[in-house]
Amino acid sequence: MSSPVKSPNAEPSSSHLMGVYSRSALAFERGEGVRLYSTDGDEYLDCVAGIAVNGLGHAHPKLVQALKDQAEKLWHVSNIYRIPEQEQLADRLCAETFADVAFFTNSGTEAIELALKAARRYHAAKGAPERIDVITFEGAFHGRSYAAVNAGGNAAYLDGFGPRLPGYVHLPFGDMDALKAALGPTTAAILIEPVQGEGGARAVSDQDLREMRRLCDEMGALLIFDEIQCGMGRTGKLFACDWAGVQPDIMTVAKALGGGFPIGACLATNEAASGMVPGTHGSTYGGNPLACSVALAAFDEIAKPELLEHVRELAGYFGQQLQGLKDRFPDVIAEIRGKGLLIGLKLIPNNREFMQLARDQRLLIAGGGENCVRLLPALIMTVDEARAVVAKLEAACQVAQDQAAAAGAASA
């Protein structure tokens, strides 16, 4: 048998990891609260939080204890048996939301997969199998599985993976006239992030979310909210759609749900889930006792009114301070975006280069679409810590401004 052909694009021979990430050279050995400590001994303020995953920061004592307690009892059993921890978490999620039922997954992508299946299955069970079209929006990110990348429609994530799947309609972000024109007898659902993350921290207006709800009711379509990144307290309410007072038919949750432990959920009304009968879906690991125990501890903390109030206050502080930075560095920051602690800075210099400037200040920030960087701090960040974040951003802006001025002088 011949040896497999090795790709010229593989990572260096020192690494046996598949080369799908453009990684920073940074590596971390421990975290505490909103700080990460590198293997080189440097301390960083973390405004990435595992991309909005570590909602309660690193090594939160209540999550650590929940993990230890459950790890000594039971990690995994099959879903062919009842799992009490899973039932308790479903009860908590349904009590705090529109939902009647929940299905647990290992990730946000898997939750999206079920949401898409449930929407189409709903119509098929009602005698309308032709209703398969899912309407999504430019800039959307719904995960990396085959169905999820087709839903997102980003050409960079679809290139080279064969033909596009049928049944996905992609519309310009914020174009309600285009949405009204696209709705029709083959529409199964509208799928939207109330606040886009990867797409550049763009918030959908409350008015548009309400209009989507009305249109879905009028057309008999389902409304699906992807709150994987913007949910779980990140905007200052438990879920971002709460600001508009709009209830979806299906909602996907993950990231901060486990506070760093992998878990996702697809929430639905009884009606929207009516097509999902035994045999239509399943998961080996989804909803295991270990994940659900940690998620219960995380949910109890994040759902506390005092924490959500703190998020709103901290978001107000960041908004004021970042607007001040924009005013002082108009050649660096073009626009402040987002909602709550899902904050976007649309930049004039290259966003990836700016991320490195922030890293030089021992500040970690995330990238985003439309040349944005994102601040996704843990919800427990203090005002003093936020003040330090702003100071580091200001220093990075100053360097960016100086570099631009030097480049301009050199080309004159």
Side-chain angles (χ1 to χ4, degrees):
M1 183 176 178
S2 60
S3 298
V5 175
K6 292 197 173 183
S7 166
N9 298 320
E11 285 200 350
S13 59
S14 60
S15 173
H16 292 283
L17 298 173
M18 191 175 289
V20 296
Y21 293 114
S22 180
R23 298 180 192 267
S24 162
L26 273 175
F28 299 101
E29 62 180 11
R30 66 185 180 91
E32 183 178 344
V34 299
R35 289 174 170 79
L36 280 169
Y37 298 88
S38 73
T39 52
D40 296 329
D42 291 326
E43 176 186 309
Y44 291 79
L45 270 173
D46 183 12
C47 280
V48 179
I51 311 183
V53 167
N54 301 104
L56 296 171
H58 299 281
H60 191 284
K62 291 192 177 179
L63 302 193
V64 171
Q65 193 59 53
L67 181 63
K68 287 180 176 178
D69 290 346
Q70 186 60 43
E72 292 176 348
K73 294 191 295 185
L74 186 64
W75 292 21
H76 172 77
V77 290
S78 170
N79 278 296
I80 64 174
Y81 309 110
R82 287 184 57 193
I83 301 175
E85 297 83 4
Q86 188 181 119
E87 294 173 8
Q88 292 167 32
L89 182 57
D91 289 347
R92 289 287 284 120
L93 283 163
C94 291
E96 296 281 357
T97 68
F98 71 98
D100 300 308
V101 292
F103 182 94
F104 294 106
T105 64
N106 308 289
S107 66
T109 295
E110 291 174 63
I112 286 288
E113 288 285 324
L114 175 52
L116 296 170
K117 288 176 68 175
R120 289 176 172 176
R121 179 78 189 200
Y122 169 78
H123 293 290
K126 298 287 185 183
E130 71 281 1
R131 299 193 70 160
I132 66 165
D133 289 339
V134 177
I135 296 174
T136 64
F137 299 86
E138 171 264 327
F141 181 82
H142 299 297
R144 296 279 194 163
S145 66
Y146 198 34
V149 293
N150 275 272
N154 186 326
Y157 297 153
L158 287 163
D159 183 44
F161 295 115
R164 296 195 178 195
L165 294 177
Y168 293 98
V169 179
H170 304 105
L171 302 180
F173 181 86
D175 191 335
M176 293 302 291
D177 289 335
L179 175 59
K180 291 172 185 176
L183 286 163
T186 61
T187 302
I190 296 172
L191 168 61
I192 190 165
E193 302 155 276
V195 186
Q196 284 190 345
E198 304 286 334
R202 297 188 294 187
V204 181
S205 72
D206 292 348
Q207 179 180 346
D208 283 356
L209 290 178
R210 294 185 190 113
E211 180 65 0
M212 288 178 193
R213 177 70 276 174
R214 187 191 70 78
L215 289 169
C216 283
D217 290 342
E218 182 179 281
M219 297 296 297
L222 299 182
L223 181 59
I224 307 171
F225 286 158
D226 177 347
E227 294 236 9
I228 290 165
Q229 185 166 146
C230 65
M232 290 304 297
R234 181 136 300 270
T235 65
K237 289 187 180 288
L238 192 54
F239 294 101
C241 62
D242 294 342
W243 289 99
V246 175
Q247 295 188 338
D249 300 292
I250 300 172
M251 183 165 70
T252 57
V253 188
K255 289 192 180 287
L257 178 61
F261 199 97
I263 186 171
C266 182
L267 310 179
T269 63
N270 281 327
E271 176 66 11
S274 59
M276 302 307 293
V277 296
T280 56
H281 199 65
S283 173
T284 295
Y285 293 108
N288 64 76
L290 197 55
C292 288
S293 293
V294 177
L296 272 167
F299 192 90
D300 285 344
E301 289 299 305
I302 290 174
K304 287 180 177 177
E306 56 268 32
L307 180 62
L308 296 174
E309 176 62 27
H310 172 72
V311 171
R312 295 192 289 271
E313 291 174 358
L314 195 63
Y317 175 82
F318 267 121
Q320 181 185 52
Q321 296 298 311
L322 294 174
Q323 185 60 49
L325 276 188
K326 177 181 177 295
D327 293 342
R328 292 198 296 280
F329 297 97
D331 296 331
V332 178
I333 301 175
E335 183 184 352
I336 311 297
R337 294 177 167 183
K339 200 178 188 74
L341 294 182
L342 200 170
I343 303 166
L345 305 181
K346 182 174 172 60
L347 300 177
I348 295 168
N350 179 271
N351 64 342
R352 298 292 166 178
E353 294 175 3
F354 188 85
M355 288 167 64
Q356 182 57 56
L357 295 181
R359 209 172 291 151
D360 292 342
Q361 302 297 324
R362 302 297 185 265
L363 173 66
L364 304 174
I365 56 179
E370 297 201 320
N371 202 44
C372 283
V373 294
R374 283 172 291 161
L375 305 182
L376 303 164
L379 312 184
I380 60 168
M381 177 174 277
T382 67
V383 172
D384 283 344
E385 290 165 338
R387 187 175 295 114
V389 169
V390 174
K392 291 176 183 292
L393 279 174
E394 183 172 18
C397 285
Q398 186 65 62
V399 174
Q401 181 173 272
D402 292 346
Q403 288 178 345
S411 63

Short mmCIF file of all heavy atoms in Angstrom, two decimals, residues 232-296:
data_model
loop_
_atom_site.label_atom_id
_atom_site.label_comp_id
_atom_site.label_asym_id
_atom_site.label_seq_id
_atom_site.Cartn_x
_atom_site.Cartn_y
_atom_site.Cartn_z
N MET A 232 -27.12 34.55 26.41
CA MET A 232 -26.55 34.24 27.72
C MET A 232 -25.94 35.48 28.39
O MET A 232 -24.81 35.48 28.84
CB MET A 232 -25.52 33.12 27.61
CG MET A 232 -26.13 31.76 27.29
SD MET A 232 -27.39 31.22 28.47
CE MET A 232 -26.45 31.10 29.98
N GLY A 233 -26.74 36.55 28.43
CA GLY A 233 -26.39 37.74 29.20
C GLY A 233 -25.48 38.73 28.50
O GLY A 233 -25.23 39.82 29.03
N ARG A 234 -24.99 38.42 27.31
CA ARG A 234 -23.95 39.26 26.69
C ARG A 234 -24.44 40.67 26.38
O ARG A 234 -23.65 41.63 26.41
CB ARG A 234 -23.41 38.60 25.42
CG ARG A 234 -22.31 39.42 24.75
CD ARG A 234 -21.16 38.59 24.32
NE ARG A 234 -20.50 37.87 25.39
CZ ARG A 234 -19.48 38.33 26.11
NH1 ARG A 234 -19.04 39.58 25.94
NH2 ARG A 234 -18.92 37.59 27.03
N THR A 235 -25.72 40.85 26.11
CA THR A 235 -26.22 42.19 25.77
C THR A 235 -26.80 42.91 26.97
O THR A 235 -27.27 44.04 26.85
CB THR A 235 -27.28 42.13 24.67
OG1 THR A 235 -28.43 41.42 25.16
CG2 THR A 235 -26.75 41.45 23.42
N GLY A 236 -26.80 42.28 28.14
CA GLY A 236 -27.38 42.91 29.33
C GLY A 236 -28.76 42.41 29.66
O GLY A 236 -29.33 42.75 30.69
N LYS A 237 -29.32 41.60 28.80
CA LYS A 237 -30.51 40.81 29.10
C LYS A 237 -30.13 39.36 28.86
O LYS A 237 -29.13 39.07 28.19
CB LYS A 237 -31.72 41.23 28.27
CG LYS A 237 -32.28 42.60 28.67
CD LYS A 237 -33.57 42.91 27.94
CE LYS A 237 -34.13 44.27 28.35
NZ LYS A 237 -34.68 44.27 29.72
N LEU A 238 -30.92 38.43 29.39
CA LEU A 238 -30.52 37.03 29.27
C LEU A 238 -30.33 36.64 27.82
O LEU A 238 -29.35 35.97 27.47
CB LEU A 238 -31.56 36.14 29.96
CG LEU A 238 -31.15 34.69 30.17
CD1 LEU A 238 -29.83 34.57 30.92
CD2 LEU A 238 -32.25 33.94 30.92
N PHE A 239 -31.25 37.10 26.95
CA PHE A 239 -31.10 36.89 25.52
C PHE A 239 -31.34 38.20 24.80
O PHE A 239 -32.14 39.03 25.23
CB PHE A 239 -32.04 35.78 25.03
CG PHE A 239 -31.68 34.43 25.59
CD1 PHE A 239 -32.38 33.89 26.66
CD2 PHE A 239 -30.59 33.73 25.08
CE1 PHE A 239 -32.01 32.67 27.21
CE2 PHE A 239 -30.22 32.51 25.63
CZ PHE A 239 -30.93 31.98 26.69
N ALA A 240 -30.64 38.38 23.68
CA ALA A 240 -30.69 39.65 22.97
C ALA A 240 -32.09 39.99 22.48
O ALA A 240 -32.47 41.16 22.43
CB ALA A 240 -29.70 39.63 21.80
N CYS A 241 -32.87 38.97 22.11
CA CYS A 241 -34.22 39.23 21.61
C CYS A 241 -35.14 39.80 22.68
O CYS A 241 -36.18 40.37 22.37
CB CYS A 241 -34.82 37.96 21.02
SG CYS A 241 -35.02 36.59 22.19
N ASP A 242 -34.73 39.67 23.95
CA ASP A 242 -35.55 40.21 25.04
C ASP A 242 -35.68 41.72 24.96
O ASP A 242 -36.66 42.30 25.43
CB ASP A 242 -34.97 39.82 26.40
CG ASP A 242 -35.02 38.32 26.66
OD1 ASP A 242 -35.80 37.63 25.97
OD2 ASP A 242 -34.29 37.84 27.54
N TRP A 243 -34.68 42.39 24.37
CA TRP A 243 -34.75 43.85 24.23
C TRP A 243 -35.93 44.26 23.36
O TRP A 243 -36.56 45.29 23.60
CB TRP A 243 -33.46 44.39 23.63
CG TRP A 243 -32.28 44.34 24.55
CD1 TRP A 243 -31.29 43.40 24.58
CD2 TRP A 243 -31.97 45.26 25.60
NE1 TRP A 243 -30.39 43.68 25.58
CE2 TRP A 243 -30.78 44.82 26.22
CE3 TRP A 243 -32.58 46.42 26.08
CZ2 TRP A 243 -30.18 45.48 27.29
CZ3 TRP A 243 -32.00 47.10 27.14
CH2 TRP A 243 -30.81 46.63 27.73
N ALA A 244 -36.22 43.46 22.34
CA ALA A 244 -37.33 43.79 21.42
C ALA A 244 -38.65 43.19 21.88
O ALA A 244 -39.70 43.51 21.32
CB ALA A 244 -37.00 43.28 20.01
N GLY A 245 -38.60 42.33 22.90
CA GLY A 245 -39.81 41.67 23.36
C GLY A 245 -40.37 40.70 22.33
O GLY A 245 -41.59 40.47 22.29
N VAL A 246 -39.48 40.12 21.51
CA VAL A 246 -39.91 39.22 20.45
C VAL A 246 -39.57 37.78 20.83
O VAL A 246 -38.45 37.50 21.25
CB VAL A 246 -39.22 39.57 19.11
CG1 VAL A 246 -39.56 38.55 18.03
CG2 VAL A 246 -39.61 40.97 18.66
N GLN A 247 -40.53 36.90 20.65
CA GLN A 247 -40.31 35.49 20.93
C GLN A 247 -40.19 34.72 19.63
O GLN A 247 -41.09 34.79 18.78
CB GLN A 247 -41.45 34.92 21.78
CG GLN A 247 -41.53 35.53 23.18
CD GLN A 247 -42.55 34.82 24.04
OE1 GLN A 247 -43.46 34.17 23.55
NE2 GLN A 247 -42.39 34.95 25.34
N PRO A 248 -39.10 33.98 19.44
CA PRO A 248 -38.97 33.16 18.24
C PRO A 248 -39.74 31.85 18.40
O PRO A 248 -40.33 31.58 19.46
CB PRO A 248 -37.47 32.90 18.18
CG PRO A 248 -37.07 32.82 19.63
CD PRO A 248 -37.93 33.84 20.33
N ASP A 249 -39.71 31.04 17.37
CA ASP A 249 -40.25 29.68 17.45
C ASP A 249 -39.17 28.70 17.85
O ASP A 249 -39.44 27.69 18.51
CB ASP A 249 -40.84 29.28 16.09
CG ASP A 249 -41.95 30.20 15.65
OD1 ASP A 249 -43.01 30.19 16.30
OD2 ASP A 249 -41.75 30.95 14.68
N ILE A 250 -37.93 29.01 17.43
CA ILE A 250 -36.77 28.18 17.71
C ILE A 250 -35.60 29.11 18.03
O ILE A 250 -35.47 30.18 17.43
CB ILE A 250 -36.40 27.28 16.51
CG1 ILE A 250 -37.56 26.34 16.14
CG2 ILE A 250 -35.13 26.46 16.78
CD1 ILE A 250 -37.34 25.55 14.84
N MET A 251 -34.76 28.71 18.97
CA MET A 251 -33.58 29.51 19.28
C MET A 251 -32.41 28.58 19.58
O MET A 251 -32.57 27.57 20.27
CB MET A 251 -33.84 30.42 20.49
CG MET A 251 -32.66 31.35 20.83
SD MET A 251 -33.14 32.69 21.94
CE MET A 251 -33.42 31.80 23.48
N THR A 252 -31.25 28.94 19.07
CA THR A 252 -30.03 28.17 19.34
C THR A 252 -29.18 28.91 20.36
O THR A 252 -29.02 30.12 20.30
CB THR A 252 -29.24 27.93 18.05
OG1 THR A 252 -28.91 29.18 17.43
CG2 THR A 252 -30.02 27.07 17.08
N VAL A 253 -28.61 28.14 21.28
CA VAL A 253 -27.79 28.68 22.37
C VAL A 253 -26.55 27.79 22.50
O VAL A 253 -26.63 26.58 22.30
CB VAL A 253 -28.56 28.67 23.71
CG1 VAL A 253 -27.80 29.41 24.79
CG2 VAL A 253 -29.95 29.25 23.54
N ALA A 254 -25.43 28.38 22.83
CA ALA A 254 -24.21 27.60 23.11
C ALA A 254 -23.21 28.54 23.77
O ALA A 254 -23.60 29.31 24.65
CB ALA A 254 -23.66 26.98 21.82
N LYS A 255 -21.94 28.47 23.37
CA LYS A 255 -20.86 29.31 23.89
C LYS A 255 -20.94 29.48 25.41
O LYS A 255 -20.56 28.58 26.14
CB LYS A 255 -20.83 30.65 23.15
CG LYS A 255 -20.34 30.51 21.70
CD LYS A 255 -20.04 31.83 21.07
CE LYS A 255 -19.56 31.69 19.63
NZ LYS A 255 -18.19 31.18 19.51
N ALA A 256 -21.45 30.61 25.92
CA ALA A 256 -21.42 30.88 27.36
C ALA A 256 -22.36 29.96 28.16
O ALA A 256 -22.30 29.96 29.39
CB ALA A 256 -21.78 32.34 27.64
N LEU A 257 -23.19 29.18 27.48
CA LEU A 257 -24.09 28.27 28.20
C LEU A 257 -23.33 27.35 29.13
O LEU A 257 -23.80 27.05 30.23
CB LEU A 257 -24.92 27.46 27.19
CG LEU A 257 -25.89 26.43 27.77
CD1 LEU A 257 -26.95 27.09 28.66
CD2 LEU A 257 -26.57 25.64 26.65
N GLY A 258 -22.16 26.89 28.71
CA GLY A 258 -21.35 26.03 29.56
C GLY A 258 -20.20 26.74 30.23
O GLY A 258 -19.40 26.10 30.92
N GLY A 259 -20.08 28.04 30.03
CA GLY A 259 -19.02 28.81 30.66
C GLY A 259 -17.63 28.32 30.32
O GLY A 259 -16.67 28.58 31.04
N GLY A 260 -17.47 27.62 29.20
CA GLY A 260 -16.19 27.07 28.80
C GLY A 260 -16.24 25.57 28.60
O GLY A 260 -15.36 25.00 27.96
N PHE A 261 -17.25 24.91 29.15
CA PHE A 261 -17.43 23.48 28.91
C PHE A 261 -18.34 23.31 27.69
O PHE A 261 -19.36 23.98 27.59
CB PHE A 261 -18.06 22.80 30.13
CG PHE A 261 -17.86 21.30 30.14
CD1 PHE A 261 -16.83 20.74 30.88
CD2 PHE A 261 -18.66 20.47 29.38
CE1 PHE A 261 -16.62 19.36 30.88
CE2 PHE A 261 -18.47 19.10 29.37
CZ PHE A 261 -17.44 18.54 30.12
N PRO A 262 -17.98 22.43 26.74
CA PRO A 262 -18.75 22.33 25.49
C PRO A 262 -20.18 21.84 25.71
O PRO A 262 -20.41 20.74 26.18
CB PRO A 262 -17.95 21.30 24.68
CG PRO A 262 -16.59 21.31 25.26
CD PRO A 262 -16.77 21.58 26.72
N ILE A 263 -21.11 22.71 25.33
CA ILE A 263 -22.53 22.35 25.35
C ILE A 263 -23.31 23.36 24.51
O ILE A 263 -22.95 24.54 24.48
CB ILE A 263 -23.10 22.28 26.78
CG1 ILE A 263 -24.55 21.74 26.76
CG2 ILE A 263 -23.01 23.62 27.50
CD1 ILE A 263 -25.13 21.43 28.14
N GLY A 264 -24.32 22.89 23.82
CA GLY A 264 -25.22 23.76 23.08
C GLY A 264 -26.64 23.29 23.30
O GLY A 264 -26.88 22.21 23.87
N ALA A 265 -27.59 24.11 22.87
CA ALA A 265 -29.00 23.74 23.03
C ALA A 265 -29.81 24.33 21.89
O ALA A 265 -29.54 25.43 21.42
CB ALA A 265 -29.54 24.24 24.37
N CYS A 266 -30.79 23.57 21.46
CA CYS A 266 -31.81 24.06 20.53
C CYS A 266 -33.12 24.11 21.30
O CYS A 266 -33.61 23.07 21.78
CB CYS A 266 -31.92 23.14 19.32
SG CYS A 266 -33.13 23.70 18.09
N LEU A 267 -33.65 25.30 21.47
CA LEU A 267 -34.89 25.51 22.21
C LEU A 267 -36.03 25.74 21.23
O LEU A 267 -35.84 26.35 20.18
CB LEU A 267 -34.77 26.73 23.14
CG LEU A 267 -33.54 26.80 24.04
CD1 LEU A 267 -33.56 28.09 24.87
CD2 LEU A 267 -33.46 25.59 24.94
N ALA A 268 -37.23 25.27 21.56
CA ALA A 268 -38.35 25.41 20.64
C ALA A 268 -39.67 25.38 21.38
O ALA A 268 -39.77 24.88 22.51
CB ALA A 268 -38.32 24.29 19.60
N THR A 269 -40.69 25.93 20.73
CA THR A 269 -42.05 25.74 21.23
C THR A 269 -42.49 24.31 20.90
O THR A 269 -41.92 23.66 20.02
CB THR A 269 -43.01 26.72 20.56
OG1 THR A 269 -43.05 26.45 19.14
CG2 THR A 269 -42.58 28.18 20.78
N ASN A 270 -43.51 23.85 21.58
CA ASN A 270 -44.05 22.53 21.27
C ASN A 270 -44.49 22.44 19.81
O ASN A 270 -44.30 21.43 19.14
CB ASN A 270 -45.22 22.20 22.19
CG ASN A 270 -44.77 21.74 23.56
OD1 ASN A 270 -43.74 21.09 23.72
ND2 ASN A 270 -45.56 22.07 24.58
N GLU A 271 -45.10 23.54 19.33
CA GLU A 271 -45.58 23.55 17.96
C GLU A 271 -44.43 23.43 16.96
O GLU A 271 -44.47 22.62 16.04
CB GLU A 271 -46.38 24.84 17.70
CG GLU A 271 -46.87 25.02 16.27
CD GLU A 271 -47.91 24.01 15.83
OE1 GLU A 271 -48.45 23.26 16.68
OE2 GLU A 271 -48.20 23.96 14.62
N ALA A 272 -43.38 24.24 17.15
CA ALA A 272 -42.26 24.22 16.21
C ALA A 272 -41.53 22.88 16.23
O ALA A 272 -40.97 22.46 15.21
CB ALA A 272 -41.29 25.36 16.53
N ALA A 273 -41.55 22.21 17.37
CA ALA A 273 -40.86 20.93 17.51
C ALA A 273 -41.76 19.74 17.22
O ALA A 273 -41.33 18.59 17.38
CB ALA A 273 -40.29 20.80 18.93
N SER A 274 -42.96 20.00 16.76
CA SER A 274 -43.94 18.91 16.62
C SER A 274 -43.54 17.85 15.60
O SER A 274 -44.00 16.71 15.67
CB SER A 274 -45.32 19.49 16.27
OG SER A 274 -45.27 20.23 15.06
N GLY A 275 -42.70 18.20 14.65
CA GLY A 275 -42.26 17.21 13.67
C GLY A 275 -41.12 16.33 14.15
O GLY A 275 -40.80 15.31 13.52
N MET A 276 -40.50 16.71 15.25
CA MET A 276 -39.33 15.98 15.75
C MET A 276 -39.79 14.86 16.68
O MET A 276 -39.86 15.03 17.91
CB MET A 276 -38.35 16.93 16.44
CG MET A 276 -37.86 18.06 15.53
SD MET A 276 -37.19 17.51 13.94
CE MET A 276 -35.71 16.64 14.49
N VAL A 277 -40.07 13.73 16.08
CA VAL A 277 -40.58 12.56 16.80
C VAL A 277 -39.44 11.56 16.95
O VAL A 277 -38.37 11.72 16.36
CB VAL A 277 -41.77 11.94 16.06
CG1 VAL A 277 -42.93 12.93 16.00
CG2 VAL A 277 -41.36 11.52 14.64
N PRO A 278 -39.61 10.50 17.75
CA PRO A 278 -38.53 9.53 17.94
C PRO A 278 -37.95 9.03 16.62
O PRO A 278 -38.68 8.67 15.69
CB PRO A 278 -39.21 8.40 18.73
CG PRO A 278 -40.24 9.12 19.55
CD PRO A 278 -40.76 10.20 18.64
N GLY A 279 -36.61 9.06 16.56
CA GLY A 279 -35.91 8.61 15.37
C GLY A 279 -35.50 9.71 14.42
O GLY A 279 -34.70 9.47 13.50
N THR A 280 -36.00 10.95 14.60
CA THR A 280 -35.69 12.03 13.66
C THR A 280 -34.39 12.75 14.00
O THR A 280 -33.85 13.47 13.15
CB THR A 280 -36.83 13.07 13.62
OG1 THR A 280 -37.07 13.56 14.94
CG2 THR A 280 -38.11 12.45 13.06
N HIS A 281 -33.87 12.57 15.20
CA HIS A 281 -32.62 13.23 15.57
C HIS A 281 -32.04 12.52 16.78
O HIS A 281 -32.74 11.78 17.48
CB HIS A 281 -32.85 14.71 15.88
CG HIS A 281 -31.60 15.54 15.81
ND1 HIS A 281 -30.90 15.73 14.65
CD2 HIS A 281 -30.91 16.21 16.78
CE1 HIS A 281 -29.85 16.49 14.88
NE2 HIS A 281 -29.82 16.79 16.17
N GLY A 282 -30.77 12.78 17.05
CA GLY A 282 -30.13 12.17 18.20
C GLY A 282 -28.72 12.69 18.38
O GLY A 282 -28.19 13.43 17.55
N SER A 283 -28.09 12.29 19.50
CA SER A 283 -26.71 12.69 19.78
C SER A 283 -26.11 11.69 20.75
O SER A 283 -26.78 11.24 21.69
CB SER A 283 -26.67 14.09 20.39
OG SER A 283 -25.36 14.43 20.81
N THR A 284 -24.85 11.34 20.52
CA THR A 284 -24.17 10.45 21.45
C THR A 284 -23.81 11.19 22.74
O THR A 284 -24.14 10.76 23.84
CB THR A 284 -22.89 9.87 20.82
OG1 THR A 284 -23.26 9.05 19.72
CG2 THR A 284 -22.11 9.03 21.83
N TYR A 285 -23.12 12.31 22.60
CA TYR A 285 -22.62 13.02 23.79
C TYR A 285 -23.53 14.14 24.27
O TYR A 285 -23.42 14.59 25.41
CB TYR A 285 -21.25 13.64 23.47
CG TYR A 285 -20.16 12.64 23.24
CD1 TYR A 285 -19.64 12.43 21.96
CD2 TYR A 285 -19.62 11.90 24.28
CE1 TYR A 285 -18.63 11.52 21.73
CE2 TYR A 285 -18.61 10.99 24.07
CZ TYR A 285 -18.11 10.80 22.79
OH TYR A 285 -17.11 9.89 22.57
N GLY A 286 -24.40 14.64 23.40
CA GLY A 286 -25.21 15.80 23.74
C GLY A 286 -26.02 15.61 25.01
O GLY A 286 -26.72 14.61 25.16
N GLY A 287 -25.92 16.58 25.93
CA GLY A 287 -26.69 16.52 27.17
C GLY A 287 -26.15 15.55 28.18
O GLY A 287 -26.90 15.10 29.06
N ASN A 288 -24.85 15.24 28.12
CA ASN A 288 -24.29 14.32 29.12
C ASN A 288 -24.29 14.96 30.51
O ASN A 288 -24.33 16.19 30.65
CB ASN A 288 -22.89 13.88 28.70
CG ASN A 288 -21.89 15.02 28.67
OD1 ASN A 288 -21.42 15.47 29.70
ND2 ASN A 288 -21.57 15.48 27.46
N PRO A 289 -24.26 14.16 31.57
CA PRO A 289 -24.37 14.69 32.93
C PRO A 289 -23.29 15.72 33.29
O PRO A 289 -23.58 16.69 33.99
CB PRO A 289 -24.25 13.45 33.82
CG PRO A 289 -24.70 12.32 32.96
CD PRO A 289 -24.26 12.68 31.57
N LEU A 290 -22.08 15.51 32.80
CA LEU A 290 -20.98 16.43 33.13
C LEU A 290 -21.24 17.81 32.54
O LEU A 290 -21.15 18.84 33.23
CB LEU A 290 -19.66 15.86 32.61
CG LEU A 290 -18.37 16.43 33.18
CD1 LEU A 290 -18.33 16.35 34.70
CD2 LEU A 290 -17.17 15.70 32.59
N ALA A 291 -21.56 17.86 31.26
CA ALA A 291 -21.82 19.14 30.60
C ALA A 291 -23.01 19.86 31.21
O ALA A 291 -22.99 21.07 31.45
CB ALA A 291 -22.04 18.93 29.11
N CYS A 292 -24.08 19.10 31.47
CA CYS A 292 -25.30 19.73 31.99
C CYS A 292 -25.11 20.26 33.41
O CYS A 292 -25.68 21.29 33.77
CB CYS A 292 -26.46 18.74 31.94
SG CYS A 292 -27.06 18.44 30.26
N SER A 293 -24.31 19.58 34.21
CA SER A 293 -24.06 20.05 35.57
C SER A 293 -23.31 21.38 35.57
O SER A 293 -23.63 22.30 36.33
CB SER A 293 -23.27 19.00 36.36
OG SER A 293 -24.06 17.85 36.56
N VAL A 294 -22.30 21.48 34.70
CA VAL A 294 -21.56 22.74 34.60
C VAL A 294 -22.47 23.84 34.05
O VAL A 294 -22.46 24.98 34.53
CB VAL A 294 -20.31 22.58 33.73
CG1 VAL A 294 -19.58 23.91 33.57
CG2 VAL A 294 -19.37 21.54 34.33
N ALA A 295 -23.26 23.51 33.03
CA ALA A 295 -24.15 24.50 32.43
C ALA A 295 -25.21 24.99 33.43
O ALA A 295 -25.57 26.17 33.42
CB ALA A 295 -24.82 23.93 31.19
N LEU A 296 -25.69 24.10 34.27
CA LEU A 296 -26.65 24.54 35.31
C LEU A 296 -26.02 25.57 36.22
O LEU A 296 -26.66 26.59 36.55
CB LEU A 296 -27.11 23.32 36.12
CG LEU A 296 -28.31 22.56 35.61
CD1 LEU A 296 -28.44 21.22 36.34
CD2 LEU A 296 -29.59 23.37 35.78
#
